[in-house]
Amino acid sequence: MNKIWNPQIECMDRSEIIKLQNERLRNVVKYEYERVPLYRERMDKKGVKPEDIRTIDDLKYLPFTEKTDLRDTFPYGLFAADKKDIVRIQGSSGTTGKPIVSGYTQNDVDVWTEMMARTLTAGNADQDSIVQVCYGYGLFTGGLGAHQGASKIGAMTIPMSSGNTARQLIMMEEMGTTHLCCTPSYALYLGESIREQGIDRSKLKLKCGFFGAEPWTEEMRKQIEELLGVDALDIYGLTEIAGPGVSFECLEKAGMHVNEDHVIPEIIDPATEMPLPYGEKGELVFTTITKTGMPMLRYRTHDICRLHDEKCACGRTLVRMERLMGRTDDMLIIRGVNVFPSQIESVLVGVRGVAPHYMLVVDRQKATDSLEVQVEVTDDMFSDSIGGLDSIKKEIGEKIKSVVGIKAQITLVAPHTIPRSEGKAKRIIDKRKL
């Protein structure tokens, strides 16, 4: 059974969705033009006035927004609302340079909460559910976003935040957690810990998990579902747009439904910056149409995916995003070949005897790039014969060459050697001075 939080919107006829988007787009463009100097200057430079934007087909005439714009105008330069109307600041971790921050009005918090209520309901969460939130709380949007949505649907909410795995498992077992929110890499870590500690999974009440904040593959989904005994659903969001809940999977697991009454998605060719039709692979771009604190016009996410507008078997008519295929800015170019970590992961999780934990080490010697793939073997395989390990290395090497198109050095390492992450997993060490 597929529960739907807001069927009036989520199952709306496509023509009605577009009509609503057109109206809201006109309003937000005028609002931005009047209130944010950066947008006004860029639109004037392109010779575009708010009255020129009548429908979503006119989006292509608007200038793009980039993450660098948020850094360049830090902290308040892109705020459209008065500071007295901003009730929340959310942002990135700011590991390099200035952090990325976004100002939320109460309207924005309410919109975001509504989107997360839809997200959790799509996993059949309701007022009888117990939702354990293992995303970090703070500037990062994960923890608070999931918490707000769980509270909205009336679920019992356990605000664990990230880390302290031993306590996470105690609460999960004793409280009877039914729904889990965390990164996919941490979900794997929790699943491994349950198995290693000999916890009787039949005593757990887990039904579904909502996993996002980092790219993951279909093969990784299977691993998580097997370890935790849940339906593993993909969710997507980003601070600049609205945090988690911008799009979400339902139990059909056929792509993430975009909350189109609040955001308009586009796919563009990242090289030409021209819009692409549904079904074409390209860079995902979002325009917010209900935010009032810091709306975004044509924000380039640098995420690579496809969009589809066919009605889902669950009954929702919202456009769906395919699973992310990588990013334009974490894509590795090795000897002229574009390489995404997700491609390597899809190979590794299909090989018997290795664990789904890996590290890509890229180096350059004498002007030639090299790729080393470090991957853990399972406990039983670690004690196997040298011949068995050599066979695994050969299999991985051949599959990577077939999928990616380049030769990689394969290094098998002992179980639990690759650093675990309770947040976003670090998958790449690039030693090149590019």
Side-chain angles (χ1 to χ4, degrees):
M1 181 184 71
N2 279 292
K3 293 183 179 179
I4 299 177
W5 174 255
N6 190 341
Q8 182 180 353
I9 293 293
E10 297 176 65
C11 304
M12 184 183 287
D13 183 80
R14 288 298 309 163
S15 63
E16 291 299 311
I17 291 176
I18 293 170
K19 182 179 177 181
L20 180 63
Q21 288 180 328
N22 289 341
E23 178 185 349
R24 291 180 171 178
L25 176 63
R26 290 192 291 269
N27 291 336
V28 77
V29 170
K30 183 174 185 292
Y31 180 78
E32 287 279 76
Y33 186 84
E34 292 174 349
R35 289 172 171 261
V36 182
L38 179 72
Y39 283 121
R40 183 165 58 252
E41 291 166 9
R42 288 185 177 176
M43 288 176 64
D44 286 347
K45 188 175 181 179
K46 287 175 68 75
V48 179
K49 298 297 182 185
E51 54 268 24
D52 297 328
I53 309 302
R54 306 304 302 165
T55 73
I56 58 175
D57 291 333
D58 297 325
L59 275 168
K60 59 181 176 285
Y61 301 121
L62 291 171
F64 291 106
T65 311
E66 292 270 7
K67 181 168 284 191
T68 52
D69 295 325
L70 280 77
R71 289 199 176 100
D72 292 343
T73 59
F74 177 85
Y76 300 122
L78 290 183
F79 283 24
D82 294 335
K83 280 193 284 185
K84 65 180 176 58
D85 295 322
I86 300 294
V87 300
R88 176 91 62 82
I89 293 293
Q90 300 278 181
S92 69
S93 56
T95 51
T96 57
K98 294 178 181 177
I100 298 298
V101 299
S102 181
Y104 288 67
T105 61
Q106 188 58 53
N107 165 79
D108 301 339
V109 173
D110 293 343
V111 165
W112 180 19
T113 300
E114 165 70 14
M115 292 196 288
M116 274 307 298
R118 296 177 191 177
T119 298
L120 296 172
T121 303
N124 282 350
D126 58 24
Q127 61 186 8
D128 296 320
S129 301
I130 300 174
V131 179
Q132 187 162 329
V133 181
C134 309
Y135 288 115
Y137 283 67
L139 278 178
F140 172 61
T141 55
L144 285 166
H147 189 117
Q148 291 161 196
S151 298
K152 177 79 171 179
I153 65 174
M156 183 189 296
T157 309
I158 309 176
M160 292 296 297
S161 193
S162 57
N164 202 332
T165 299
R167 187 191 296 175
Q168 299 276 9
L169 297 180
I170 290 171
M171 295 294 282
M172 188 181 296
E173 186 173 4
E174 298 297 331
M175 300 297 294
T177 299
T178 60
H179 291 74
L180 179 66
C181 301
C182 63
T183 62
S185 55
Y186 192 49
L188 266 179
Y189 184 57
L190 287 170
E192 287 180 337
S193 299
I194 287 170
R195 184 170 59 187
E196 290 167 3
Q197 294 181 26
I199 295 173
D200 185 353
R201 214 181 67 189
S202 68
K203 292 183 179 179
L204 300 180
K205 300 294 195 306
L206 285 175
K207 298 177 181 178
C208 187
F210 307 91
F211 307 124
E214 63 188 21
W216 52 306
T217 60
E218 197 63 31
E219 291 81 3
M220 195 168 178
R221 187 209 301 269
K222 293 173 185 175
Q223 294 270 357
I224 292 171
E225 291 186 335
E226 181 181 338
L227 284 168
L228 292 176
V230 298
D231 281 302
L233 303 183
D234 202 0
I235 65 173
Y236 177 87
L238 57 169
T239 299
E240 302 90 309
I241 302 302
V246 171
S247 63
F248 60 91
E249 269 190 322
C250 67
L251 292 170
E252 297 295 330
K253 302 174 188 174
M256 291 176 279
H257 300 275
V258 180
N259 280 301
E260 290 185 277
D261 55 323
H262 298 299
V263 294
I264 301 174
E266 299 176 81
I267 294 292
I268 65 166
D269 181 319
T272 67
E273 299 184 343
M274 295 301 294
L276 296 173
Y278 290 124
E280 291 288 317
K281 182 174 75 172
E283 181 183 341
L284 182 63
V285 174
F286 278 120
T287 295
T288 64
I289 50 177
T290 55
K291 283 186 74 172
T292 53
M294 199 176 92
M296 289 281 109
L297 299 184
R298 301 199 81 196
Y299 185 78
R300 295 185 64 164
T301 68
H302 295 285
D303 287 322
I304 302 296
C305 72
R306 294 186 181 93
L307 296 177
H308 299 282
D309 64 344
E310 302 89 357
K311 183 177 179 179
C312 181
C314 72
R316 292 177 178 85
T317 52
L318 301 171
V319 158
R320 280 171 286 158
M321 292 169 47
E322 282 189 13
R323 184 180 293 279
L324 299 182
M325 302 170 184
R327 289 178 58 83
T328 60
D329 57 357
D330 77 353
M331 177 181 71
L332 294 166
I333 302 179
I334 303 172
R335 299 196 294 275
V337 178
N338 295 343
V339 180
F340 290 105
S342 57
Q343 292 175 304
I344 306 295
E345 181 177 298
S346 67
V347 168
L348 298 178
V349 295
V351 176
R352 187 186 65 81
V354 301
H357 299 287
Y358 65 95
M359 185 71 72
L360 308 183
V361 182
V362 188
D363 207 346
R364 177 172 290 170
Q365 296 178 348
K366 297 181 180 178
T368 301
D369 290 342
S370 64
L371 172 63
E372 178 191 5
V373 180
Q374 300 176 357
V375 58
E376 286 184 8
V377 294
T378 56
D379 288 296
D380 56 344
M381 187 56 68
F382 185 62
S383 58
D384 203 356
S385 66
I386 296 297
L389 296 176
D390 286 343
S391 176
I392 290 176
K393 288 175 65 173
K394 182 180 179 183
E395 180 183 355
I396 293 173
E398 289 175 349
K399 286 188 173 181
I400 288 177
K401 180 72 186 301
S402 174
V403 170
V404 179
I406 63 172
K407 184 178 180 180
Q409 174 190 337
I410 312 303
T411 303
L412 301 181
V413 299
H416 311 291
T417 302
I418 302 293
R420 301 299 195 262
S421 171
E422 293 176 341
K424 291 189 179 185
K426 180 175 174 59
R427 304 291 196 194
I428 301 170
I429 298 175
D430 196 336
K431 297 180 177 180
R432 299 173 296 178
K433 300 188 184 302
L434 301 177

